[in-house]
Amino acid sequence: MKKKIGLIVSLALVIVFYALAVTMPATELLTPASYVYAGVFLSVIVLLLTQALPDWVVVIGASALMILTDAVFRKTGLQSAPVFTMSGLFGAFSGSTVWLIIMVFALSAGIGKSGLLNRIAIGILSLFPPTYTGAVVAMMCTGTVLSPLIPSVNAKVNLLIPFATSTTEEMKIKPRSRQALGLFTACYLPAYLGGNAFITGSVYVSVMCGFITSYAQSLGAQGASFNFVSWLVAAVVWFAVLLAGTFVYCAVVCKPKEKLAFSRTFYKDRLKEMGPMSRNEKIAAAILVTALVLWSTSGLHGMDTGMIGWAAVCVMCATGLIAPSDFNTKIPWSLVVFIGSLLGMANYMSSLGWSAAIANVLGPALAPLVSSPWIFVPFLCLFTYALRFLIIEQNTALVIVMAIFGGLMNAAGINLYVIIFVEFMSSMCWTVPYMNPFAMATLGVAGGKYVTFPEMRKASVLYMLINLLGCLASIPLWYALGFLA
């Protein structure tokens, strides 16, 4: 029923706004193409909210509809020049963002296939004392070390969560207890969310960089370009708060009253079972170290971060770490198409007058919020938390936030990095199951015995508090970096 309602409402929106395009006189801000865009854009949001069609089908279909409409309007004289073009709506596919996303998934496939990450994880875990606090620190350190090494948060978390489960079992911790949640959270938060502090640590960072560039061009607002070091610098305070908050909760709040320990050789025995490093692990290690060195020194040699990654992918293909079938099956092509097409649609928000129109209407009401980062940043966190109860897809939530606030950023002297980073990090909560399907998948990987969703919801509330504090604590740094005026 929900899908049918979505289809009907989206069709009605298109019809209404197409009628406005034909009947409403053009103004200084809005033209017939503006109404077409509004109708299609709103219908896209409805279809994504109701999941009436696959995401990539929605955005491709919307783009096709606007291009076809453009041709009809020019034939009938409603507009004189092309507005919706292939290069405009699909231009993101010729830019760096989409190719960076594809590279991230391909690189993750090669590193994950080699088995190197498993060895690194067990090696780090074996270094810490076999106590509850030692296990918490071990999980956190392992997730932190792995964060910049592989761009797939799914791969990192799915690799580490079984270790949290096996350690919980070895320590004879009761299912659904605070201690079980503590070990789970110590593994989950640094690995899943901490990767966003590194440009190589999460595909979400590639998406954020793409939106920063896309919206900066569309809105004529202040954006920024990043490399490995500059992104880490901008996110380092948020990352430090994430780690500190995670440790306090897991090692202090969830600490057991009685002493819990496990065998000193628990992880060392597993490391011995793996035997010496295989050929593929050695090759992956050499490629990864070389790539990390080049990424972190890009400010010195000037080489493009994305092309460094693609060179690494090519070497992996040449050495057999990535097979042709992996390139076809390990990359979520529907997600790539969805993000690329959504970026293209976002470019029209300002050029067709809607950013200015929305800013003119909402500006007087929102100006007090936007005028001070100390008010706007926490408001945006809380607004996004509430919005995620309605908006399932993270990118859709970001588009809605940018439609409301994007046009106000330039006048307020706020760099688009701030609004996009704060919104995207705030949208990664999982307070209810439908908010974040990946969180539910992680519970399945963990076995669903020691931690179930009611306990995992507590970790989401914890993250929401940590994220709010981290974003607030980052404000002085963002002032120093020139992202706030």
Side-chain angles (χ1 to χ4, degrees):
M1 177 61 71
K2 182 175 74 171
K3 293 183 178 181
K4 290 182 180 178
I5 292 174
L7 289 169
I8 293 170
V9 172
S10 64
L11 180 60
L13 285 169
V14 169
I15 292 173
V16 168
F17 277 89
Y18 269 58
L20 291 174
V22 174
T23 58
M24 292 290 289
T27 66
E28 186 177 344
L29 282 180
L30 303 178
T31 66
S34 303
Y35 292 104
V36 169
Y37 177 80
V40 175
F41 182 77
L42 291 174
S43 70
V44 165
I45 292 176
V46 170
L47 292 172
L48 292 176
L49 284 175
T50 58
Q51 296 181 301
L53 295 169
D55 293 349
W56 68 273
V57 174
V58 172
V59 290
I60 287 288
S63 299
L65 178 59
M66 286 189 286
I67 291 174
L68 294 173
T69 302
D70 191 90
V72 173
F73 275 22
R74 280 186 285 121
K75 282 288 186 182
T76 56
L78 282 172
Q79 65 186 56
S80 57
V83 176
F84 303 114
T85 62
M86 287 289 293
S87 60
L89 286 165
F90 298 105
F93 292 96
S94 62
S96 60
T97 300
V98 171
W99 286 100
L100 187 63
I101 292 170
I102 298 171
M103 179 276 292
V104 160
F105 284 115
L107 193 64
S108 297
I111 297 172
K113 189 177 179 181
S114 71
L116 176 65
L117 290 181
N118 200 38
R119 183 179 296 276
I120 294 174
I122 296 177
I124 296 173
L125 291 168
S126 67
L127 298 175
F128 292 86
T131 62
Y132 176 82
T133 301
V136 167
V137 177
M139 298 293 171
M140 289 184 60
C141 287
T142 306
T144 301
V145 170
L146 291 182
S147 283
L149 299 185
I150 183 167
S152 172
V153 293
N154 300 46
K156 281 179 286 199
V157 174
N158 289 345
L159 171 72
L160 291 177
I161 283 295
F163 290 120
T165 301
S166 62
T167 303
T168 303
E169 192 169 40
E170 181 70 11
M171 297 178 83
K172 296 180 173 56
I173 292 174
K174 293 181 181 179
R176 305 188 65 178
S177 64
R178 281 189 308 162
Q179 292 73 43
L181 178 60
L183 290 180
F184 181 96
T185 304
C187 178
Y188 189 77
L189 293 191
Y192 175 56
L193 298 154
N196 293 294
F198 304 91
I199 205 166
T200 59
S202 171
V203 69
Y204 297 125
V205 177
S206 303
V207 175
M208 282 187 277
C209 288
F211 274 113
I212 291 169
T213 303
S214 176
Y215 278 114
Q217 293 173 349
S218 171
L219 300 172
Q222 185 184 5
S225 58
F226 295 93
N227 57 29
F228 184 92
V229 175
S230 60
W231 183 271
L232 177 59
V233 169
V236 69
V237 172
W238 176 89
F239 186 47
V241 173
L242 174 72
L243 295 180
T246 302
F247 177 79
V248 169
Y249 178 78
C250 298
V252 180
V253 177
C254 295
K255 186 176 182 178
K257 295 180 180 179
E258 68 279 6
K259 185 177 180 180
L260 296 177
F262 56 100
S263 170
R264 289 184 175 275
T265 61
F266 182 63
Y267 288 116
K268 292 180 180 179
D269 290 341
R270 291 193 177 192
L271 199 59
K272 289 180 181 178
E273 290 173 5
M274 295 184 70
M277 287 184 69
S278 66
R279 168 189 173 274
N280 284 351
E281 286 179 285
K282 292 177 181 177
I283 293 173
I287 294 172
L288 191 56
V289 169
T290 303
L292 283 171
V293 170
L294 292 174
W295 279 328
S296 59
T297 57
S298 61
L300 298 176
H301 52 67
M303 288 190 284
D304 181 79
T305 301
M307 291 304 104
I308 292 171
W310 273 112
V313 170
C314 291
V315 174
M316 286 183 174
C317 290
T319 54
L321 287 183
I322 299 177
S325 58
D326 293 327
F327 197 78
N328 294 331
T329 59
K330 300 292 185 181
I331 297 174
W333 291 106
S334 60
L335 178 61
V336 172
V337 170
F338 172 67
I339 292 174
S341 301
L342 194 60
L343 287 173
M345 288 186 65
N347 284 334
Y348 283 90
M349 180 67 71
S350 179
S351 63
L352 291 176
W354 284 112
S355 293
I358 293 172
N360 289 342
V361 173
L362 298 179
L366 298 177
L369 294 174
V370 178
S371 61
S372 171
W374 296 102
I375 298 174
F376 178 65
V377 167
F379 170 80
L380 184 58
C381 289
L382 298 175
F383 179 79
T384 303
Y385 296 155
L387 185 65
R388 289 287 278 125
F389 282 95
L390 300 175
I391 310 297
I392 298 173
E393 214 286 317
Q394 284 178 276
N395 293 309
T396 306
L398 177 58
V399 170
I400 292 174
V401 167
M402 289 303 299
I404 297 173
F405 297 103
L408 304 172
M409 294 299 97
N410 208 29
I414 300 176
N415 190 291
L416 291 182
Y417 165 84
V418 174
I419 183 174
I420 289 176
F421 182 85
V422 171
E423 194 284 334
F424 217 91
M425 292 302 96
S426 300
S427 71
M428 297 187 77
C429 53
W430 55 95
T431 315
V432 290
Y434 64 79
M435 272 186 184
N436 196 326
F438 176 70
M440 303 305 296
T442 301
L443 283 178
V445 174
K449 176 183 178 183
Y450 290 98
V451 175
T452 61
F453 189 78
E455 292 80 54
M456 197 177 182
R457 179 184 285 116
K458 297 176 183 177
S460 177
V461 175
L462 169 69
Y463 169 67
M464 291 161 71
L465 175 60
I466 290 174
N467 175 68
L468 176 62
L469 295 175
C471 291
L472 276 170
S474 297
I475 290 176
L477 171 65
W478 293 338
Y479 268 115
L481 294 174
F483 292 163
L484 297 170

